[in-house]
Amino acid sequence: MASFPLLLFVWFLFASPEFTLAADRKTYIVQMDKSMMPKAFATHGHWYSSVINSLRTSYGLPRSSVAVSRQVFFTLMIMPSMDSSAGPLSLQEVHNLKNMKGYVSSYPGTLLEVLHLALCLAMYKVSGYTSISLLGMDQAIADGVDVISISMGIDGFPPYEDPVAIAAFAAMEKGVLVSASVGNEGPTFMTLHNGIPWMLTTGAGTIDRQFSRNSESRQWQLRIWTQVLPVEVFISDVNQLVPDLRISIYSLYELLSFLSYLLITSKLFQQTLLGTNPAPAVAFYSSRGPSPTYPSILKPDVLAPAPKFWSAWMGNAKKRKGAHPDWSPAAIRSAMMTTANLLDNTLSPIKDNGLYLEQASPLAMGAGHIDPNKALDPGLVYDVGAQDYVNHLCLMNYTSKQIAAITRSSNYSCTSPADLNYPSFMIFSDKANSSSTSIEFKRTVTNVGDGAATYKVKWTVSNGLSVKVTPDTLVFHDKNEKLSFTVSVETDKMKGQFSYGTLVWEDDGAKHSVRSPVLAYKIY
């Protein structure tokens, strides 16, 4: 199993009469560029100690006293070119750190998280939403995993300060697919986290189970939408002689109380019925797009069963990787997106539980619900490499220092800012600051079918959107051949806050339908 060297140092604070930690001090994970270590230091540990020792504090203590009283807690080499340390620092000291040679970035964490990592690192068990996720994911990458599924995220931080985003970039570079949840703040728009383009972002879908009992007068059914809190419980009379009862359980205490009641009265529900309708649907709590930190890419990517079932579905991602070991994470994501299902088990459009069972939009379900069998043979894929993501960051006006914080490398440049070859099309505009009503996308697809094939495009849009695709036919002569096309979208006649549709490339034998969502969103 491949791994790179691991340096782990744990120090504890030394209590002393003349020094106690101030209330504004927090534990931080600090990224330092290994290549910048001065030659005067024999080890990186000596360098870190010197950096911490040199920080000025509001206590006016001698530097040696500060160094003895406040050592770094934790040092972990997480990339060949980067080292990270964690320790309790004040805001002023963090500010001073930014002027230090070799400083890249820093993130707040907790001592408990750091110590927890030392105990649970091999299991990749992480707690909290800050530095620990970066360290745990980096170790998983070092251990040679193929897929990482993470049901956590951080809100309100740009990608260059988001540990999950930074770790996911490193995973992508190593060919590891990262799948992450959108969050649990739905159904409000723009609450989604993990909206960065180099990971697979999944919305939560429901899978219903019915527990039924026959009584003398009528049959009762209990339906529990299997998802994390809040849990939606529906109790209904099959014969519809009495109204349905809906219970929303928002706390762990309420859930335990309800489950205890079910155990006590277990004879009330003696059957488990599968295949009830409609399913799947977007879970009420599933966060909606657009991503507030990266709105230029449509998120979520797809809808998948709620987190309780993600391990099984990530097994399907592993299956894609096994069937196509040469595919990049972007190609696997593309296959999942372009073959996703838009219909539920009643053959009607997938519904949104957060919108009173109205039709779900791409802001809630992305390209649709994952279809693992179809994803094995998508026909065409939209592929993306590490430099392509950097080019898009450049197009979005990220600075070289911000990009370096994400990539943890100085090997990337901003010589060719460009749109991203993503399998969806997102038009995001601030109406107050943007007069543009049109946008042009350039895309390249790779033929991963059996051989020669001809694809023709068709699209369906609503609510004032206008789409034009050039060329409208793609003729592939060989497998793995790449062809490009341009999509122009006009929004001047759009009504309302958002409008959406689909763009589909279909081959001449109707074996493959490569579908992408198109969505325009305006902030008023």
Side-chain angles (χ1 to χ4, degrees):
M1 182 177 297
S3 62
F4 25 79
L6 184 68
L7 304 177
L8 179 63
F9 305 95
V10 180
W11 288 284
F12 293 95
L13 290 174
F14 292 88
S16 63
E18 69 266 24
F19 183 77
T20 57
L21 288 175
D24 67 339
R25 292 184 178 276
K26 297 179 181 178
T27 298
Y28 285 83
I29 180 168
V30 180
Q31 288 187 351
M32 303 291 289
D33 188 338
K34 269 182 57 178
S35 65
M36 300 295 290
M37 184 185 77
K39 295 182 179 179
F41 298 102
T43 67
H44 291 93
H46 292 153
W47 179 34
Y48 300 148
S49 296
S50 176
V51 169
I52 298 299
N53 193 37
S54 66
L55 294 175
R56 303 299 297 173
T57 73
S58 59
Y59 296 95
L61 295 174
R63 293 186 178 183
S64 59
S65 175
V66 174
V68 170
S69 300
R70 179 177 33 81
Q71 286 278 14
V72 291
F73 288 119
F74 185 85
T75 303
L76 175 67
M77 187 167 72
I78 54 179
M79 288 292 291
S81 61
M82 290 286 180
D83 271 7
S84 297
S85 306
L89 303 173
S90 68
L91 291 177
Q92 181 60 45
E93 288 170 332
V94 172
H95 177 75
N96 293 342
L97 261 178
K98 294 180 180 180
N99 298 320
M100 295 283 186
K101 184 179 180 179
Y103 171 87
V104 176
S105 59
S106 57
Y107 316 97
T110 68
L111 172 60
L112 186 60
E113 288 179 325
V114 171
L115 296 180
H116 187 72
L117 176 70
L119 296 174
C120 302
L121 188 60
M123 298 171 61
Y124 314 119
K125 180 179 180 181
V126 298
S127 62
Y129 294 88
T130 53
S131 57
I132 200 70
S133 57
L134 175 67
L135 301 174
M137 291 174 67
D138 275 338
Q139 184 57 38
I141 298 166
D143 287 344
V145 302
D146 293 312
V147 178
I148 295 176
S149 176
I150 181 169
S151 183
M152 61 188 298
I154 182 170
D155 294 323
F157 283 80
Y160 52 87
E161 293 180 353
D162 182 349
V164 175
I166 294 168
F169 193 93
M172 174 273 302
E173 288 182 303
K174 298 292 184 180
V176 178
L177 175 68
V178 178
S179 173
S181 62
V182 295
N184 302 328
E185 299 178 32
T188 306
F189 292 126
M190 292 195 76
T191 56
L192 174 149
H193 59 220
N194 296 322
I196 52 169
W198 47 86
M199 66 165 58
L200 175 70
T201 310
T202 55
T206 60
I207 297 179
D208 54 9
R209 298 291 186 267
Q210 289 189 7
F211 303 95
S212 177
R213 166 189 183 268
N214 289 318
S215 66
E216 293 181 1
S217 57
R218 59 179 61 95
Q219 184 182 39
W220 296 92
Q221 289 184 338
L222 170 69
R223 293 183 292 159
I224 301 178
W225 296 110
T226 49
Q227 54 193 43
V228 297
L229 295 174
V231 173
E232 303 293 336
V233 179
F234 299 84
I235 300 177
S236 60
D237 174 17
V238 173
N239 298 317
Q240 298 182 346
L241 299 178
V242 296
D244 291 355
L245 173 64
R246 171 175 173 169
I247 303 172
S248 296
I249 300 176
Y250 289 91
S251 71
L252 181 60
Y253 173 79
E254 291 175 345
L255 179 59
L256 292 176
S257 299
F258 181 74
L259 293 177
S260 297
Y261 170 78
L262 289 184
L263 290 175
I264 295 172
T265 60
S266 58
K267 291 184 179 180
L268 290 176
F269 307 103
Q270 297 173 345
Q271 290 183 348
T272 300
L273 304 179
L274 306 179
T276 53
N277 303 323
V282 180
F284 180 90
Y285 68 89
S286 184
S287 294
R288 271 57 169 183
S291 167
T293 57
Y294 213 109
S296 58
I297 297 296
L298 177 59
K299 293 285 181 170
D301 294 314
V302 291
L303 188 69
K308 187 178 294 185
F309 297 93
W310 279 353
S311 59
W313 283 87
M314 289 315 296
N316 284 299
K318 175 69 173 177
K319 187 178 181 181
R320 308 287 86 68
K321 186 72 173 178
H324 304 283
D326 57 329
W327 282 14
S328 68
I332 295 173
R333 177 186 59 211
S334 174
M336 290 183 173
M337 291 178 63
T338 60
T339 60
N341 200 339
L342 297 177
L343 305 179
D344 62 24
N345 58 1
T346 70
L347 300 183
S348 299
I350 291 174
K351 305 297 192 299
D352 189 338
N353 279 353
L355 291 177
Y356 306 100
L357 294 181
E358 292 184 7
Q359 181 175 337
S361 77
L363 293 172
M365 68 172 184
H369 195 275
I370 291 176
D371 188 327
N373 292 324
K374 287 185 178 179
L376 284 172
D377 184 20
L380 305 176
V381 295
Y382 296 77
D383 207 359
V384 183
Q387 183 63 55
D388 299 315
Y389 292 114
V390 172
N391 291 343
H392 194 256
L393 289 169
C394 299
L395 184 68
M396 296 295 103
N397 297 318
Y398 284 83
T399 68
S400 57
K401 188 171 184 178
Q402 291 168 343
I403 293 173
I406 295 170
T407 63
R408 292 181 279 180
S409 171
S410 57
N411 295 330
Y412 297 102
S413 63
C414 269
T415 56
S416 303
D419 188 19
L420 192 62
N421 193 41
Y422 214 78
S424 62
F425 303 87
M426 177 70 171
I427 303 99
F428 182 89
S429 63
D430 183 340
K431 191 173 182 179
N433 300 316
S434 176
S435 59
S436 176
T437 60
S438 65
I439 189 170
E440 185 174 277
F441 302 90
K442 295 182 179 179
R443 295 290 189 266
T444 299
V445 287
T446 304
N447 177 25
V448 294
D450 295 331
T454 298
Y455 284 81
K456 294 185 177 180
V457 71
K458 58 182 180 180
W459 60 85
T460 302
V461 293
S462 61
N463 194 15
L465 288 186
S466 175
V467 173
K468 181 180 179 180
V469 183
T470 307
D472 61 3
T473 302
L474 299 176
V475 180
F476 295 92
H477 300 286
D478 298 298
K479 185 174 183 177
N480 295 322
E481 182 181 355
K482 298 178 184 291
L483 293 176
S484 299
F485 62 94
T486 300
V487 178
S488 300
V489 182
E490 294 281 347
T491 63
D492 58 327
K493 298 181 181 180
M494 174 180 156
K495 298 179 181 179
Q497 186 173 18
F498 66 92
S499 183
Y500 60 92
T502 59
L503 185 150
V504 183
W505 288 100
E506 188 171 274
D507 64 7
D508 47 10
K511 179 181 179 182
H512 301 108
S513 292
V514 187
R515 185 189 306 108
S516 296
V518 180
L519 187 136
Y521 188 95
K522 294 181 179 179
I523 295 181
Y524 289 90

